[in-house]
Amino acid sequence: MKYFLGLGLIVKVGVSMIGQFTGYSMPMSFFVLQNNVFYVLLGYFLEKAVSTEKCRQLSGWKLSAGLAMSVIAAAVMVIADRKLSGEYHESVLNLMIPLMACAVYLGVRRFFVMHTNIRGTGIIACLGSCAFGVYLLEHIGQKLFLKLYLQLADRTFGIFACSVYICCILLFSFVCTWLIRKSKIVRKFI
């Protein structure tokens, strides 16, 4: 799993960055490096490789600094790409997402390891049990609420339109997953 994670980070961040800035893109068709497989395996790896004791020892400040540095690096790359190409490319913004995902996952896990007596653990458990379904249904929600986003983007400012769009997608995906999980047929297989 360590080699897989290393390969994924090299390909998703390193090779993609080189391709974006040189104009030469190497075709990478590894199935396990596709987002829908990579991030599930990354979460599994981080859950198994980082024990609860190691998670307690993680520094919240270091995780926060790592996340902040990833965001700053992404912003710098977007600015550099804009200067080189004259356009903004979403693919450049996405280059640091694997590193950000690791920092966010470990940060959230550390928080819950350190704070075991949190109110609303049932709600958190419900949200967590629907996370994979939300992940799978996200694309349907994106297509479903795209018109709403475009209308809001024309009439309001971008961050508001994007926030409403994301909230609608998450809510739709969560409700659908929750309803599917309540089905007696599906419950037999879970």
Side-chain angles (χ1 to χ4, degrees):
M1 287 304 286
K2 287 180 184 178
Y3 293 123
F4 165 73
L5 178 60
L7 176 67
L9 292 176
I10 288 169
V11 170
K12 289 193 162 301
V13 178
V15 174
S16 298
M17 191 183 311
I18 291 167
Q20 192 65 40
F21 291 110
T22 62
Y24 176 74
S25 62
M26 293 176 22
M28 292 289 173
S29 59
F30 300 118
F31 173 72
V32 293
L33 295 180
Q34 301 300 320
N35 284 344
N36 55 349
V37 176
F38 177 77
Y39 288 110
V40 171
L41 292 176
L42 176 65
Y44 177 79
F45 170 75
L46 290 175
E47 186 67 29
K48 298 299 180 192
V50 181
S51 68
T52 303
E53 189 54 41
K54 283 183 186 175
C55 201
R56 273 185 224 280
Q57 295 170 357
L58 288 172
S59 167
W61 290 106
K62 287 181 182 177
L63 287 172
S64 299
L67 181 60
M69 289 179 64
S70 297
V71 171
I72 291 168
V76 167
M77 286 190 288
V78 167
I79 292 167
D81 181 53
R82 169 81 166 124
K83 289 193 186 249
L84 290 172
S85 68
E87 299 177 335
Y88 290 107
H89 296 105
E90 183 182 352
S91 57
V92 176
L93 191 58
N94 293 338
L95 290 176
M96 300 306 276
I97 288 179
L99 298 176
M100 291 179 206
C102 291
V104 169
Y105 184 88
L106 290 173
V108 169
R109 184 165 174 226
R110 180 187 178 276
F111 177 82
F112 286 109
V113 165
M114 300 298 280
H115 302 85
T116 54
N117 297 331
I118 297 175
R119 283 188 165 176
T121 53
I123 294 169
I124 293 169
C126 179
L127 292 172
S129 68
C130 293
F132 187 62
V134 168
Y135 174 74
L136 294 175
L137 294 173
E138 173 193 7
H139 293 294
I140 295 170
Q142 286 176 355
K143 290 180 182 180
L144 199 68
F145 294 103
L146 183 61
K147 283 185 179 180
L148 172 67
Y149 168 73
L150 293 174
Q151 288 175 350
L152 285 174
D154 286 342
R155 295 186 175 102
T156 64
F157 51 97
I159 194 78
F160 176 75
C162 190
S163 298
V164 170
Y165 181 57
I166 290 169
C167 288
C168 287
I169 292 168
L170 286 174
L171 187 62
F172 165 79
S173 302
F174 174 77
V175 169
C176 288
T177 303
W178 186 76
L179 289 173
I180 290 169
R181 286 179 54 86
K182 290 293 180 187
S183 164
K184 289 182 181 180
I185 296 170
V186 174
R187 275 198 167 278
K188 289 180 183 179
F189 298 106
I190 296 177

